[in-house]
Amino acid sequence: MHQEPETRLLKGDCLSVLPTIQSESVDLVYLDPPFFTQKKHRLRTRDRSREFSFDDIWSSNREYTEFLHDRIVEIYRVLSDKGCLFFHCDRNSTHLARFALDEVMGAESFKSEIIWHYRRWSGSTKMLLPAHQTIYFYTKSHDYTFNVLWEDYSPATNVDQILQRRARDAYGKTVYKRNDAGDIVSNGGKKGVPLSDVWDIPYLNPKAKERIGYPTQKPLTLLERIIQLTTKENDWVLDPFCGSGTTLVASKMLNRNAIGIDTSDDALALTSTRIQELRKSESNLFIRGRDTYHNADETALTFLQGIEYVPVQRNQGIDAILKEDLDGTPIPIRIQRKGETIIEAGNKLYHASKEKNVRLMFLVARNNGGYFILGDDLPPEVVIVNSPALEIRNCLDRLSPAPVTRTPK
Amino acid sequence: MHQEPETRLLKGDCLSVLPTIQSESVDLVYLDPPFFTQKKHRLRTRDRSREFSFDDIWSSNREYTEFLHDRIVEIYRVLSDKGCLFFHCDRNSTHLARFALDEVMGAESFKSEIIWHYRRWSGSTKMLLPAHQTIYFYTKSHDYTFNVLWEDYSPATNVDQILQRRARDAYGKTVYKRNDAGDIVSNGGKKGVPLSDVWDIPYLNPKAKERIGYPTQKPLTLLERIIQLTTKENDWVLDPFCGSGTTLVASKMLNRNAIGIDTSDDALALTSTRIQELRKSESNLFIRGRDTYHNADETALTFLQGIEYVPVQRNQGIDAILKEDLDGTPIPIRIQRKGETIIEAGNKLYHASKEKNVRLMFLVARNNGGYFILGDDLPPEVVIVNSPALEIRNCLDRLSPAPVTRTPK
DNA sequence: TACACCTCTGAATCTTCCA
DNA sequence: CTGGAAGATTCAGAGGTGT
């Protein structure tokens, strides 16, 4: 059925290696050259046996731009007529890259400025924390391969818009379409929203098994997306700065042939190993989505407006923590859930806070939980605060005591 | 107390208008010049009475870049030594803008490449759907004004990291810190994560109240964030391409002085109207809190979740009425506004209810309104119910009474 | 002024623990 | 044993400090 994909590794500066590759023989080029950071990058493998490093220090803009220009000329030559190019850079070099690319490939070949957005460690900054890198998407001609990919609808999207076909009325205004009987016309199944140029893909986490110890290693998901977007099986993919070889691994997994070039023997050895082992660690976050981590009751948190707090997720007992502290000890908060008694809620809050050096915590009560209780069974550190709705309810009950069935304990 | 902010509108090309402005007199410049789209932009007002349009067609890169360069030179002159500049552009012009900015202000003045990310509706496309614009952040000197803003932690972050201090063990490994008794050491109050350079702010929804009919109109939230990040009250903000005047509106709302320049009479007229309307509602804003401009009243009702009520529109005193009644008399509710004392709120509620055969009404208190009051001055029918946030605040104040200055009546 | 080094980070995984 | 929840871990980081 399908051919075993071929993977070639070539050693050297791509400027001198590329001339050995035939013209117009490659369908996709992804390149990830140095970012003009003016720093030396190094990282040890997890077992600390080896250290990979490379210099990214340049004497001038000009030197860097010429470096890029010369290589892009050769890359352009080997790219097929329907081929696509993705150039990975960051805020240090976007403008330089764009100029070099425009000059060699023509400004009309520019298709998209892709923003790879991620959240990353490191806080305490006096600046805006950098949280994105840029990938420029160019094609060689007007007629290029492009497979439309789909994303899920944003949670805010109106269901009607997903399900109903639309039309324009007499004034050109968009309205929901109706048939002759006046009924709404269904849209048939929809796949989602076409992929946008902002890609939210988790950064390769320091603890990820996928991480191999090479600096600047890119997540497999990122490369998979690029490859799926612009190639089909058995196409040829080229990475002239292949580093740890993520592009080649992704290509092989997706049955694309690939060529990788790098100046470093260590990098090539590493790539070679990765291709043979072909390991991918699935990112839970990416597969299940960020929302699965939420367990603070988001709508209930609006009870707290007017006071400064930090929402807490990924914990069953605590919904938020006050920004203020009590003599250095944190002050956690829980909002009582529906179908949860005050005692249950209080115990969860207390339990989650027990080991955390807490002296005061607040529980927002939303109902009486089936019986009147005033915290007798709860530790004294738990302060119960009634929601306005509960307070109103209690006041009304006092005025006109209704025959309420109380569940006995 | 605080000075009424000044707003000046100047007509003309900023290149010829800027020379009338004093050197180093402006603390923040936000500019949003044409994006080099090579298109003509037009949009009708909602009532279709007027059409705004402008040309964004250029003979060459060079013409556009020179246009920018000349204007940035003048802008640089009027910018104060601690001043900041934000340059708004999109994928058509990022590299040209960056070059012009680097040339005039110096590459070392570059601070951040801000990505404004938004979701947009669009049918199927053979392209990646553009969903971002770029804002370059430059400063005039090394010593600039920057107020750190905070975001929520990622939902995947665990509580321990937020709460516990860390240290390094004998092997240099990071571990949670413990004191001599072996107890966990708390981290004190935390505010969240410093703001990143990717800003997820909804695009002006075509139906948004905020939308005024001007093409390329920017969301208020975007400008508010920029202004809060780099200025303080009574600073001067300049927008040399002010268009529909969002920058000036945001400046005024945040008590900053502002200068707007535009070549179009229509644009200036529109801006002027927007600012006047803001002034008209100013008294309202002062009473009800600035957040009202962003529909804060809708969120205020969330305090009532858990009880059945009917929201009341168009009434100055009553926000909602309970579905339940008291012996046939209605039970109105009011939520105390920011900047409103409990007495004021209670009186409004009482007055609005007076003629309506009311025997019981609820007032949800959100702050102490400047002095301690327990409802003595209010009619007995008004029952005060504290918001959870206020209840928590009061509890904390009781524990560690801070020396708070109370405004006497 | 340049850079080596140290401290403080939080994201998302890996790992352990517990019901 | 098994699955989920909570704790532990590591870093193309960032800023400050000292040489």
Side-chain angles (χ1 to χ4, degrees), chain B residues 154 156-157 161 166 168 190 193:
Chain B
S154 156
T157 305
Q161 295 201 60
R166 279 174 287 179
R168 285 183 193 278
K190 285 227 181 169
V193 188

Side-chain angles (χ1 to χ4, degrees), chain A residues 128-397:
Chain A
L128 293 167
L129 190 64
H132 76 278
Q133 291 175 10
T134 304
I135 303 170
Y136 285 115
F137 172 26
Y138 280 71
T139 62
K140 190 156 183 175
S141 72
H142 192 64
D143 175 32
Y144 55 97
T145 311
F146 188 85
N147 311 308
V148 183
L149 299 182
W150 304 87
E151 275 180 309
D152 289 341
Y153 291 99
S154 116
T157 303
N158 187 337
V159 196
D160 296 333
Q161 293 190 326
I162 300 174
L163 298 178
Q164 297 175 30
R165 196 172 290 274
R166 276 170 288 179
R168 289 190 187 272
D169 69 6
Y171 307 97
K173 207 179 77 176
T174 307
V175 295
Y176 290 123
K177 194 172 181 176
R178 289 168 187 279
N179 63 17
D180 299 339
D183 297 326
I184 274 164
V185 179
S186 158
N187 213 347
K190 272 215 175 179
K191 294 172 185 169
V193 186
L195 191 63
S196 86
D197 62 2
V198 178
W199 295 357
D200 197 341
I201 295 176
Y203 194 85
L204 198 51
N205 193 272
K207 287 286 288 180
K209 271 188 187 154
E210 189 180 325
R211 194 176 263 272
I212 212 83
Y214 194 83
T216 82
Q217 189 186 343
K218 303 291 180 295
L220 261 175
T221 316
L222 183 71
L223 271 300
E224 285 174 343
R225 186 175 281 188
I226 289 172
I227 291 168
Q228 284 172 332
L229 212 49
T230 55
T231 63
K232 50 190 188 313
E233 294 211 347
N234 299 318
D235 275 359
W236 280 90
V237 177
L238 166 68
D239 187 342
F241 298 85
C242 76
S244 58
T246 307
T247 310
L248 308 201
V249 173
S251 298
K252 185 161 185 195
M253 284 177 144
L254 295 167
N255 278 316
R256 271 73 169 173
N257 303 296
I259 304 171
I261 306 173
D262 206 291
T263 53
S264 150
D265 274 320
D266 286 337
L268 287 176
L270 182 61
T271 301
S272 177
T273 319
R274 283 183 77 193
I275 290 168
Q276 267 149 46
E277 292 180 3
L278 221 58
R279 244 208 334 257
K280 182 187 178 186
S281 73
E282 301 285 336
S283 160
N284 263 327
L285 179 70
F286 191 75
I287 291 166
R288 303 195 305 158
R290 193 159 268 123
D291 291 342
T292 52
Y293 284 85
H294 284 87
N295 44 36
D297 189 337
E298 302 283 346
T299 56
L301 283 177
T302 58
F303 279 128
L304 300 179
Q305 59 176 268
I307 201 158
E308 297 221 88
Y309 65 92
V310 177
V312 167
Q313 312 293 348
R314 207 179 173 278
N315 185 291
Q316 302 292 336
I318 302 171
D319 288 329
I321 292 183
L322 285 188
K323 285 191 178 175
E324 201 169 330
D325 57 18
L326 180 69
D327 303 330
T329 65
I331 307 174
I333 305 177
R334 180 182 181 81
I335 321 279
Q336 181 190 18
R337 300 282 192 282
K338 281 171 193 168
E340 185 184 59
T341 66
I342 294 174
I343 297 296
E344 283 165 358
N347 282 336
K348 276 184 191 152
L349 172 61
Y350 181 72
H351 229 82
S353 310
K354 207 169 42 179
E355 304 288 330
K356 294 188 177 11
N357 189 23
V358 163
R359 295 209 333 249
L360 173 67
M361 56 201 104
F362 288 101
L363 172 60
V364 178
R366 299 165 78 182
N367 61 64
N368 288 317
Y371 38 50
F372 289 131
I373 192 80
L374 291 167
D376 317 86
D377 293 333
L378 288 175
E381 297 95 320
V382 179
V383 174
I384 296 178
V385 167
N386 285 347
S387 79
L390 177 57
E391 200 67 59
I392 289 172
R393 175 82 271 138
N394 288 343
C395 176
L396 291 172
D397 286 349

